[in-house]
Amino acid sequence: MALHRLTSITVGVPDVDATAAYYTDFGLTPLGGNAFATADGGEQFKLAHAPRRRLVEIGIGADDPDDLDRIERQLGALDLPVERSADSLTTEEPIAGFRAVVSVASRIEQQRVDPTPYNGPGRVDRADVRAPGVLREGRVAPRKLGHVVIGSTDQAATQRFFTDGIGFKVSDVVPSLAAFMRCSTDHHNVLVQQAPVNFLHHTSWQVEDIDEIGRGAMAMLEKDPERHVWGLGRHHIGSNFFWYLKDPAGNFSEYYSDIDCIVDDALWKPGVWEGARSLFNWGPPPPPSFLMPEDLAAMMTGAHSAG
Protein backbone atom coordinates (compact mmCIF):
# COMPACT_ATOMS: atom_id res chain seq x y z
CA MET A 1 0.00 0.00 0.00
CA ALA A 2 1.50 3.32 -1.10
CA LEU A 3 -0.42 5.17 1.59
CA HIS A 4 0.74 4.12 5.01
CA ARG A 5 -0.58 6.28 7.88
CA LEU A 6 -2.25 9.39 9.17
CA THR A 7 0.50 11.94 9.65
CA SER A 8 -1.41 14.56 11.66
CA ILE A 9 -4.69 16.38 12.12
CA THR A 10 -5.59 19.98 12.90
CA VAL A 11 -8.74 20.58 14.94
CA GLY A 12 -10.48 23.93 15.28
CA VAL A 13 -11.97 24.81 18.68
CA PRO A 14 -13.36 27.99 20.29
CA ASP A 15 -11.14 27.82 23.42
CA VAL A 16 -7.67 26.70 22.38
CA ASP A 17 -6.07 27.05 25.83
CA ALA A 18 -8.64 24.91 27.67
CA THR A 19 -8.57 22.27 24.95
CA ALA A 20 -4.77 22.22 24.92
CA ALA A 21 -4.78 21.57 28.67
CA TYR A 22 -7.14 18.63 28.12
CA TYR A 23 -4.90 16.95 25.53
CA THR A 24 -1.88 17.48 27.75
CA ASP A 25 -3.75 15.61 30.49
CA PHE A 26 -4.71 12.98 27.89
CA GLY A 27 -1.03 12.18 27.46
CA LEU A 28 0.00 13.99 24.28
CA THR A 29 3.31 15.87 24.52
CA PRO A 30 3.07 19.67 24.01
CA LEU A 31 5.53 20.99 21.44
CA GLY A 32 4.61 24.67 21.63
CA GLY A 33 2.40 26.58 19.23
CA ASN A 34 -0.57 24.35 20.21
CA ALA A 35 1.07 21.36 18.53
CA PHE A 36 1.34 17.95 20.21
CA ALA A 37 3.29 14.75 19.68
CA THR A 38 2.69 11.07 20.31
CA ALA A 39 5.36 8.72 21.60
CA ASP A 40 5.98 7.00 18.24
CA GLY A 41 4.41 9.27 15.63
CA GLY A 42 6.03 12.60 16.45
CA GLU A 43 3.91 15.72 15.84
CA GLN A 44 0.42 14.43 15.06
CA PHE A 45 -2.05 16.93 16.50
CA LYS A 46 -2.57 20.66 16.35
CA LEU A 47 -5.23 23.01 17.65
CA ALA A 48 -6.41 26.17 15.92
CA HIS A 49 -9.04 28.73 16.81
CA ALA A 50 -12.45 28.29 15.17
CA PRO A 51 -15.93 29.61 16.02
CA ARG A 52 -17.18 26.03 16.43
CA ARG A 53 -15.41 22.72 16.78
CA ARG A 54 -14.43 21.16 13.46
CA LEU A 55 -11.82 19.17 11.61
CA VAL A 56 -9.62 21.70 9.82
CA GLU A 57 -7.02 19.43 8.22
CA ILE A 58 -6.12 15.77 7.92
CA GLY A 59 -2.65 14.64 6.87
CA ILE A 60 -1.94 11.36 5.13
CA GLY A 61 1.47 9.80 4.49
CA ALA A 62 2.54 8.40 1.12
CA ASP A 63 5.73 6.62 0.12
CA ASP A 64 6.96 8.64 -2.86
CA PRO A 65 6.07 11.33 -5.43
CA ASP A 66 4.68 8.73 -7.85
CA ASP A 67 1.91 8.13 -5.31
CA LEU A 68 1.12 11.84 -5.34
CA ASP A 69 0.94 11.79 -9.15
CA ARG A 70 -1.64 9.02 -9.02
CA ILE A 71 -3.70 10.77 -6.34
CA GLU A 72 -3.60 14.04 -8.30
CA ARG A 73 -5.08 12.23 -11.32
CA GLN A 74 -7.75 10.58 -9.18
CA LEU A 75 -8.77 13.88 -7.61
CA GLY A 76 -8.85 15.46 -11.06
CA ALA A 77 -11.30 12.79 -12.19
CA LEU A 78 -13.56 13.97 -9.34
CA ASP A 79 -13.16 17.59 -10.52
CA LEU A 80 -11.42 18.57 -7.29
CA PRO A 81 -8.68 21.23 -7.38
CA VAL A 82 -5.22 20.30 -6.17
CA GLU A 83 -2.29 22.40 -4.99
CA ARG A 84 0.88 20.45 -5.73
CA SER A 85 4.49 20.68 -4.65
CA ALA A 86 7.34 18.23 -5.13
CA ASP A 87 6.54 16.25 -1.99
CA SER A 88 2.92 17.06 -1.12
CA LEU A 89 -0.51 17.85 -2.47
CA THR A 90 -3.39 19.69 -0.85
CA THR A 91 -7.07 19.51 -1.69
CA GLU A 92 -10.38 20.22 0.02
CA GLU A 93 -13.08 17.70 0.76
CA PRO A 94 -16.19 19.23 -0.90
CA ILE A 95 -18.86 18.35 1.68
CA ALA A 96 -17.38 18.77 5.16
CA GLY A 97 -14.86 21.33 3.95
CA PHE A 98 -11.66 20.13 5.61
CA ARG A 99 -8.26 20.21 3.95
CA ALA A 100 -6.52 16.98 3.09
CA VAL A 101 -2.75 17.07 2.74
CA VAL A 102 -1.04 14.00 1.30
CA SER A 103 2.72 14.18 1.72
CA VAL A 104 5.74 11.99 1.21
CA ALA A 105 6.44 10.93 4.78
CA SER A 106 8.42 8.32 6.64
CA ARG A 107 6.61 5.30 7.97
CA ILE A 108 6.13 4.93 11.71
CA GLU A 109 8.53 2.26 12.93
CA GLN A 110 7.16 1.01 16.24
CA GLN A 111 9.52 -1.07 18.35
CA ARG A 112 8.01 -4.40 19.30
CA VAL A 113 6.43 -4.42 22.75
CA ASP A 114 6.23 -7.92 24.20
CA PRO A 115 2.66 -9.08 24.91
CA THR A 116 1.41 -8.32 28.40
CA PRO A 117 1.45 -11.64 30.29
CA TYR A 118 -2.02 -12.69 31.43
CA ASN A 119 -2.79 -15.87 33.35
CA GLY A 120 -5.66 -18.07 32.23
CA PRO A 121 -7.14 -21.56 32.64
CA GLY A 122 -4.29 -24.04 32.34
CA ARG A 123 -1.91 -21.23 31.39
CA VAL A 124 0.36 -19.47 33.85
CA ASP A 125 2.20 -16.88 31.79
CA ARG A 126 2.85 -14.69 34.82
CA ALA A 127 4.07 -16.66 37.84
CA ASP A 128 5.06 -15.35 41.27
CA VAL A 129 4.69 -11.66 40.34
CA ARG A 130 1.85 -9.15 40.27
CA ALA A 131 0.23 -8.13 36.99
CA PRO A 132 2.26 -5.40 35.22
CA GLY A 133 -0.85 -3.26 34.88
CA VAL A 134 -1.24 -2.83 38.62
CA LEU A 135 2.43 -1.89 39.06
CA ARG A 136 2.68 0.79 36.36
CA GLU A 137 3.08 4.39 37.43
CA GLY A 138 3.18 7.70 35.62
CA ARG A 139 0.89 9.05 32.97
CA VAL A 140 -0.29 7.11 29.94
CA ALA A 141 1.29 8.35 26.70
CA PRO A 142 -0.50 7.47 23.42
CA ARG A 143 1.79 5.79 20.93
CA LYS A 144 0.23 7.12 17.71
CA LEU A 145 -2.87 8.66 16.15
CA GLY A 146 -4.96 5.73 15.00
CA HIS A 147 -8.10 7.07 13.37
CA VAL A 148 -10.50 9.97 12.92
CA VAL A 149 -14.30 9.80 12.74
CA ILE A 150 -16.09 12.41 10.66
CA GLY A 151 -19.79 13.22 10.39
CA SER A 152 -20.82 14.23 6.86
CA THR A 153 -24.14 15.47 5.49
CA ASP A 154 -23.38 13.37 2.41
CA GLN A 155 -21.66 10.24 3.64
CA ALA A 156 -21.41 8.64 0.21
CA ALA A 157 -19.71 11.69 -1.31
CA THR A 158 -17.19 12.01 1.52
CA GLN A 159 -16.51 8.27 1.29
CA ARG A 160 -15.81 8.65 -2.45
CA PHE A 161 -13.41 11.48 -1.68
CA PHE A 162 -11.34 9.11 0.46
CA THR A 163 -11.64 5.97 -1.66
CA ASP A 164 -11.79 7.20 -5.27
CA GLY A 165 -9.82 10.39 -4.65
CA ILE A 166 -7.15 9.64 -2.06
CA GLY A 167 -7.02 5.85 -2.36
CA PHE A 168 -8.32 4.53 0.97
CA LYS A 169 -9.68 0.98 1.13
CA VAL A 170 -12.98 -0.03 2.73
CA SER A 171 -12.65 -2.48 5.64
CA ASP A 172 -16.27 -2.74 6.85
CA VAL A 173 -19.57 -0.92 6.31
CA VAL A 174 -22.77 -0.09 8.16
CA PRO A 175 -25.38 0.19 5.39
CA SER A 176 -26.56 3.74 4.60
CA LEU A 177 -24.72 5.03 7.64
CA ALA A 178 -20.95 4.56 7.79
CA ALA A 179 -17.81 3.20 6.15
CA PHE A 180 -14.61 2.17 7.94
CA MET A 181 -11.64 2.95 5.68
CA ARG A 182 -7.91 2.42 5.94
CA CYS A 183 -4.72 3.93 4.55
CA SER A 184 -2.48 1.65 6.62
CA THR A 185 -2.57 -1.90 7.95
CA ASP A 186 -4.81 -0.77 10.82
CA HIS A 187 -8.44 -1.79 10.35
CA HIS A 188 -9.49 1.83 9.89
CA ASN A 189 -7.89 5.24 9.85
CA VAL A 190 -10.98 7.19 8.82
CA LEU A 191 -14.63 6.47 9.52
CA VAL A 192 -17.21 8.61 7.73
CA GLN A 193 -20.76 8.51 9.08
CA GLN A 194 -23.99 10.10 7.86
CA ALA A 195 -24.89 13.10 10.02
CA PRO A 196 -27.30 16.06 10.03
CA VAL A 197 -24.35 18.47 10.08
CA ASN A 198 -20.67 18.22 9.19
CA PHE A 199 -18.58 17.74 12.34
CA LEU A 200 -15.68 15.92 13.96
CA HIS A 201 -16.97 13.03 16.06
CA HIS A 202 -13.75 11.70 17.61
CA THR A 203 -10.06 11.06 17.37
CA SER A 204 -8.54 7.76 18.49
CA TRP A 205 -5.13 7.13 20.04
CA GLN A 206 -3.25 3.86 20.43
CA VAL A 207 -1.98 2.68 23.83
CA GLU A 208 -0.28 -0.60 24.75
CA ASP A 209 -3.09 -2.67 26.21
CA ILE A 210 -6.37 -2.67 28.06
CA ASP A 211 -4.63 -1.73 31.31
CA GLU A 212 -3.31 1.47 29.72
CA ILE A 213 -6.83 2.30 28.51
CA GLY A 214 -8.12 1.91 32.06
CA ARG A 215 -5.23 3.78 33.65
CA GLY A 216 -5.48 6.65 31.18
CA ALA A 217 -9.23 7.01 31.51
CA MET A 218 -9.18 6.84 35.31
CA ALA A 219 -6.52 9.54 35.49
CA MET A 220 -8.61 11.77 33.23
CA LEU A 221 -11.75 11.17 35.29
CA GLU A 222 -10.02 11.76 38.61
CA LYS A 223 -9.29 15.27 37.38
CA ASP A 224 -12.79 15.82 35.93
CA PRO A 225 -15.53 13.14 36.05
CA GLU A 226 -17.55 15.07 33.45
CA ARG A 227 -15.04 13.97 30.82
CA HIS A 228 -16.51 10.46 30.73
CA VAL A 229 -18.50 9.47 27.63
CA TRP A 230 -18.46 5.70 27.06
CA GLY A 231 -16.39 2.73 28.18
CA LEU A 232 -14.81 0.42 29.01
CA GLY A 233 -15.85 -1.82 26.12
CA ARG A 234 -14.81 -3.66 22.98
CA HIS A 235 -15.91 -2.84 19.45
CA HIS A 236 -17.07 -5.59 17.14
CA ILE A 237 -15.98 -3.73 14.00
CA GLY A 238 -12.21 -3.41 14.36
CA SER A 239 -12.20 -5.52 17.56
CA ASN A 240 -10.44 -2.82 19.59
CA PHE A 241 -10.91 -2.15 23.29
CA PHE A 242 -12.07 1.43 23.88
CA TRP A 243 -12.84 4.21 26.32
CA TYR A 244 -14.18 7.57 25.12
CA LEU A 245 -13.75 10.92 26.83
CA LYS A 246 -14.82 14.46 25.89
CA ASP A 247 -12.66 17.55 25.47
CA PRO A 248 -13.86 21.06 26.45
CA ALA A 249 -14.96 21.81 22.87
CA GLY A 250 -17.18 18.71 22.73
CA ASN A 251 -14.93 16.47 20.62
CA PHE A 252 -14.58 12.89 21.80
CA SER A 253 -11.15 11.29 22.20
CA GLU A 254 -10.61 7.54 22.45
CA TYR A 255 -7.92 5.42 24.00
CA TYR A 256 -7.74 2.12 22.09
CA SER A 257 -5.71 -1.08 21.95
CA ASP A 258 -5.75 -4.39 20.05
CA ILE A 259 -7.28 -3.25 16.76
CA ASP A 260 -7.56 -5.62 13.78
CA CYS A 261 -4.68 -5.31 11.31
CA ILE A 262 -5.06 -6.07 7.60
CA VAL A 263 -1.66 -7.03 6.23
CA ASP A 264 -2.83 -8.99 3.17
CA ASP A 265 -5.83 -7.37 1.49
CA ALA A 266 -6.73 -10.63 -0.24
CA LEU A 267 -7.30 -12.35 3.12
CA TRP A 268 -9.73 -9.72 4.46
CA LYS A 269 -13.39 -9.76 3.48
CA PRO A 270 -15.25 -6.51 4.30
CA GLY A 271 -18.33 -7.16 6.40
CA VAL A 272 -21.74 -5.52 6.54
CA TRP A 273 -22.88 -4.81 10.09
CA GLU A 274 -26.11 -3.54 11.62
CA GLY A 275 -27.65 -3.16 15.07
CA ALA A 276 -25.56 -3.42 18.22
CA ARG A 277 -22.65 -5.10 16.39
CA SER A 278 -22.15 -1.91 14.39
CA LEU A 279 -21.31 -0.18 17.68
CA PHE A 280 -19.85 -2.67 20.14
CA ASN A 281 -19.39 -6.31 21.10
CA TRP A 282 -19.47 -5.89 24.87
CA GLY A 283 -19.52 -3.12 27.44
CA PRO A 284 -22.13 -0.63 28.60
CA PRO A 285 -24.52 0.53 25.88
CA PRO A 286 -23.50 3.80 24.24
CA PRO A 287 -25.16 6.86 25.74
CA PRO A 288 -27.43 8.93 23.45
CA SER A 289 -24.83 11.72 23.54
CA PHE A 290 -22.32 9.44 21.80
CA LEU A 291 -24.66 8.72 18.92
CA MET A 292 -25.92 12.30 18.71
CA PRO A 293 -23.57 14.72 20.51
CA GLU A 294 -25.41 17.27 22.59
CA ASP A 295 -24.15 20.29 20.66
CA LEU A 296 -25.24 19.09 17.22
CA ALA A 297 -28.55 20.98 17.36
CA ALA A 298 -26.70 24.24 18.00
CA MET A 299 -24.24 23.40 15.25
CA MET A 300 -27.10 22.77 12.85
CA THR A 301 -28.71 26.08 13.77
CA GLY A 302 -25.41 27.85 13.21
CA ALA A 303 -24.91 26.14 9.87
CA HIS A 304 -28.37 27.14 8.68
CA SER A 305 -27.86 30.71 9.90
CA ALA A 306 -24.55 30.93 8.04
CA GLY A 307 -26.26 29.53 4.95
Side-chain angles (χ1 to χ4, degrees):
M1 177 179 283
L3 302 178
H4 55 80
R5 67 176 173 112
L6 296 183
T7 54
S8 65
I9 57 170
T10 300
V11 176
V13 296
D15 189 336
V16 172
D17 290 343
T19 311
Y22 170 94
Y23 285 99
T24 301
D25 290 345
F26 190 77
L28 302 184
T29 300
L31 300 175
N34 299 310
F36 296 81
T38 58
D40 295 334
E43 182 177 332
Q44 291 202 281
F45 187 66
K46 191 167 186 177
L47 293 169
H49 181 267
R52 64 177 179 86
R53 64 186 184 90
R54 60 183 296 263
L55 178 64
V56 174
E57 180 178 294
I58 184 168
I60 301 145
D63 281 327
D64 55 55
D66 288 343
D67 301 321
L68 303 184
D69 294 339
R70 185 191 69 257
I71 295 168
E72 185 174 12
R73 291 193 298 270
Q74 292 169 178
L75 291 168
L78 297 177
D79 294 322
L80 294 175
V82 172
E83 296 179 12
R84 179 66 193 274
S85 70
D87 58 1
S88 72
L89 66 81
T90 302
T91 188
E92 184 170 300
E93 191 279 334
I95 306 301
F98 54 84
R99 289 190 306 275
V101 179
V102 186
S103 58
V104 176
S106 60
R107 292 179 176 246
I108 293 179
E109 298 293 340
Q110 292 188 300
Q111 297 297 315
R112 175 183 168 83
V113 175
D114 289 334
T116 305
Y118 292 108
N119 292 333
R123 186 189 76 252
V124 180
D125 292 339
R126 188 191 75 253
D128 307 318
V129 293
R130 301 185 195 279
V134 305
L135 297 176
R136 294 172 186 162
E137 297 180 353
R139 72 174 194 163
V140 170
R143 305 298 293 265
K144 69 175 183 178
L145 170 65
H147 59 265
V148 178
V149 175
I150 303 160
S152 170
T153 56
D154 189 339
Q155 189 276 335
T158 302
Q159 178 179 334
R160 283 195 301 272
F161 171 81
F162 281 105
T163 55
D164 297 358
I166 305 295
F168 279 58
K169 297 180 180 180
V170 174
S171 299
D172 282 302
V173 297
V174 181
S176 302
L177 181 62
F180 294 74
M181 297 173 285
R182 66 188 187 277
C183 64
S184 73
T185 57
D186 287 346
H187 176 273
H188 57 284
N189 302 104
V190 169
L191 163 61
V192 177
Q193 62 183 36
Q194 185 65 36
V197 65
N198 300 312
F199 76 107
L200 172 63
H201 187 275
H202 74 263
T203 60
S204 187
W205 307 85
Q206 182 194 56
V207 294
E208 283 85 345
D209 57 25
I210 192 171
D211 284 302
E212 292 300 271
I213 293 176
R215 291 182 63 245
M218 291 304 296
M220 291 290 283
L221 299 180
E222 285 173 7
K223 195 158 188 177
D224 183 357
E226 296 300 314
R227 291 170 165 174
H228 174 71
V229 177
W230 183 29
L232 174 71
R234 186 162 195 154
H235 287 302
H236 191 87
I237 302 177
S239 303
N240 48 298
F241 296 108
F242 66 83
W243 199 319
Y244 294 89
L245 303 142
K246 184 170 69 173
D247 75 21
N251 304 298
F252 302 146
S253 59
E254 176 191 15
Y255 291 118
Y256 81 89
S257 70
D258 191 29
I259 200 165
D260 292 334
C261 286
I262 303 170
V263 177
D264 187 336
D265 293 329
L267 297 179
W268 182 267
K269 182 179 179 180
V272 178
W273 306 96
E274 298 183 87
R277 288 287 177 89
S278 69
L279 289 166
F280 69 123
N281 184 280
W282 60 259
S289 62
F290 181 82
L291 305 175
M292 187 66 67
E294 295 165 350
D295 62 347
L296 282 202
M299 294 171 70
M300 292 172 64
T301 301
H304 290 315
S305 298

